[in-house]
Amino acid sequence: MVKVAIFASGSGTNFENIMQRVTAGELPNIEVTALYTDQAEAECIQRAQPFNLDVHITELKDYATKADYERAMLKQLEREGVEWIILAGYMKLISATILDAYESRILNIHPSLLPKYKGVDAIGQAFTSGDKETGTTVHYVDSGMDTGQIIEQRQCPIYEDDTKADLEQRVKSLEYELYPKVIAEIIQ
Ligand code: GRF
């Protein structure tokens, strides 16, 4: 079994989807040790409950520097023997402290066809772009914002009568299929 930690900051639907797959036996090589979040009020915390999963809340405001904050997380990761980190809507850049310890062992999913629409509100950027398609990307994490090596992408159309919520739902449906598939392939 490979021990992984999932990092999330928000609603946590990708986190929940991965946990459902793990529970259903679809990711047989993977053991999720805990949910790590930087937001004490995040919805993802409630989503961890049915899985009886540990949740570690580490807030940047409680530390003097980002490095101190990451050192606290790293201590916990090492205590649990975590080998891979899966980012699922974690809204901070991973800095040198964690990156050096987990080089080439951190995955992220981003809701656009990278290198297009990096950063926040990628769905909104695609929605207002006039593009006829968008999608999602799973990539390795490096020190940049959504700049790591691309592993796999999935496309979907943008229809003229879409609302932004329609588009978000369409992209998320792709994510719920793509992310577990890539995780199963990459993390062995
Ligand atoms: C996803 O769209 C993912 O691509 C991005 O953040 C979003 C997280 O959504 N990194 P959720 O919290 O999993 O619902």
Side-chain angles (χ1 to χ4, degrees):
M1 292 288 249
V2 182
K3 291 189 176 191
V4 309
I6 304 181
F7 284 21
S9 303
S11 69
T13 65
N14 276 282
F15 156 68
E16 181 177 59
N17 173 60
I18 294 164
M19 289 306 300
Q20 285 166 347
R21 306 285 185 139
V22 168
T23 307
E26 291 174 37
L27 295 167
N29 297 329
I30 282 161
E31 178 192 340
V32 180
T33 65
L35 170 71
Y36 286 66
T37 185
D38 59 332
Q39 301 293 328
E41 306 295 328
E43 213 184 318
C44 56
I45 295 170
Q46 313 308 322
R47 293 190 199 269
Q49 276 178 4
F51 303 102
N52 233 331
L53 187 72
D54 283 349
V55 178
H56 303 304
I57 302 168
T58 314
E59 293 194 280
L60 183 56
K61 67 174 174 54
D62 296 331
Y63 297 87
T65 66
K66 177 97 181 280
D68 289 342
Y69 157 82
E70 282 205 344
R71 263 192 288 275
M73 293 174 86
L74 186 59
K75 215 182 213 174
Q76 187 62 42
L77 290 163
E78 289 176 346
R79 202 176 289 146
E80 286 172 355
V82 169
E83 297 162 81
W84 281 78
I85 298 171
I86 296 172
L87 307 186
Y90 177 66
M91 297 302 285
K92 280 185 176 58
L93 283 178
I94 301 287
S95 303
T97 306
I98 291 180
L99 214 48
D100 289 350
Y102 284 91
E103 211 198 329
S104 303
R105 288 183 294 138
I106 310 176
L107 300 179
N108 185 41
I109 189 157
H110 182 76
S112 76
L113 296 174
L114 290 173
K116 274 192 162 182
Y117 313 132
K118 298 186 180 103
V120 292
D121 197 20
I123 303 266
Q125 294 181 58
F127 183 67
T128 54
S129 67
D131 291 356
K132 297 275 182 272
E133 68 164 19
T134 186
T136 187
T137 304
V138 178
H139 63 94
Y140 288 104
V141 170
D142 64 12
S143 59
M145 172 101 70
D146 306 317
T147 51
Q149 185 197 331
I150 291 171
I151 300 169
E152 203 167 327
Q153 299 184 307
R154 283 281 181 284
Q155 289 82 1
C156 66
I158 305 175
Y159 297 116
E160 267 175 23
D161 60 349
D162 270 345
T163 62
K164 191 179 161 191
D166 293 334
L167 186 58
E168 182 169 354
Q169 207 39 59
R170 196 172 304 125
V171 171
K172 284 209 167 167
S173 303
L174 294 178
E175 296 191 330
Y176 302 151
E177 294 307 316
L178 181 64
Y179 212 6
K181 174 188 168 287
V182 173
I183 290 167
E185 286 168 3
I186 298 279
I187 302 179
Q188 311 264 359

